[in-house]
Amino acid sequence: MFYTIVPVLPMLVCLFWSVVLFFEIISRRRDHARIWLFVFMCAATLLYLGHAAYFNHCKNGIIIYDTIYVTCNLAVFPLYYEYVRALTETSRSFTQRHHLWLLPALLGGITVGLLYLLMSDSQIWMFVDTYLYGNQTVWNSGLVTCQSVVHHILKIWFALQIIPILVIELRIIRRFNRQLDLFYSDTEQRSLASVAVLLRLLVLTSVISLGFSILGRYRFLESTWTLMIPSLLFSALLFAIGYLGTHRSFTIDDILSAEIPEESDMTEEESPMEETSAEQNTKDTEKFEELALRITTLMKENKVFLQPDLNLMDLAQMLNTNQKYVYIAFSKVLDTKFSEYVNRLRIDYASHILQENPSLKLNEVAQMSGYSSSATFYRNFKQFLGCSPKEFLEKSKA
């Protein structure tokens, strides 16, 4: 009984989150990130269904179970890649070429399934006993050999796809977080910190999966305790992925309701810094220097940096100008990011409050300085001043 339950645990975890995500999707407005996480969990459920069938020796349905296992094993990491893209890109940004990572899973599953259909019963049982449960390849038996070679190739592809997909995901997350720094003063609730955690979990999962793939599943047939360790580990990792994914409190459409400006996105016609002539270039430089001065004046005299959720669009509206112009003024003239500029002013303001009113509670100082989160206040204080607010107070008293 215990041996029967152990290999089923990862499947039950994935099934649980699939059901939760299904009801979240139908009860909320369209959220394509949750849809991709739902598809990922469904694929993982089917993957571990095949996994459980294998360890419970359900050989009668091996054609179906092994085909599902092979297909979903190749699909889960590309599906997670789609989930990360859905977190960082609007549905309009999705193109068909990004789905090519799923093609090997589809082709691999079809190939394995067709080979099973072409094999006789005796050949199927030979393959099951010698390769799946014995990890040995029969090299002189036609379709049995072909099926073994296909399984070997798909294992190699599984290993090869992990690193490039993870590198691309990291690049996407870093680019997204850089864009947030250009547009928002408060990035704490919008940055993909939780996704970074998910990515680390996925790295760990992929390394373990690769190790088990190289060792061979058959090695875990002999001992329940040997099987229990990876089963519990996978269950915990998958539960964490589902939990963090379903507790995400934002959607890409919420935080990118206004276009985040990037220099690389500007066409030649749009770019106000286009060097058509030396005279025009001088005029443009003077224009952005003047805009930078207006920004500095507005920030310091009107203290607009104290607005808790100030963003680049808000500032552009106050200055009656284009947000791309404001972005260029920050990057070309002030030589800083919007979030860094605002938070430096906030921390400088907070340090003066602490010196003048050392008896104030730190959460009150945080709110007075424009922070809605004390954690963000502490993090930025230490980043810009090199010490915590408490340490700053002790130094001020000394």
Side-chain angles (χ1 to χ4, degrees), residues 17 142 214 253 320 394-395:
W17 286 120
I214 293 171
D253 294 319
N320 294 315
E394 290 173 0
K395 289 179 182 178

Side-chain angles (χ1 to χ4, degrees), residues 22 49 121 144 149 180 188 190 209 261 265 290 312 322 396 398:
F22 174 77
L49 173 63
D121 289 343
V144 177
V149 170
L180 288 180
E188 189 76 19
R190 300 178 173 95
S209 298
D265 293 336
E290 189 270 335
L312 203 69
N322 188 296
S396 299

Side-chain angles (χ1 to χ4, degrees), residues 383-396:
Q383 178 184 343
F384 293 122
L385 296 185
C387 61
S388 69
K390 290 183 179 179
E391 291 170 342
F392 179 83
L393 276 173
E394 290 173 0
K395 289 179 182 178
S396 299

Side-chain angles (χ1 to χ4, degrees), residues 8 16 57 74 97 102 121 139 157 171 299 306 372 388:
V8 177
F16 169 75
H57 296 269
L74 293 174
R97 66 184 178 84
L102 290 165
D121 289 343
W139 295 106
W157 176 254
R171 194 173 298 164
M299 285 285 190
L306 296 179
S372 55
S388 69

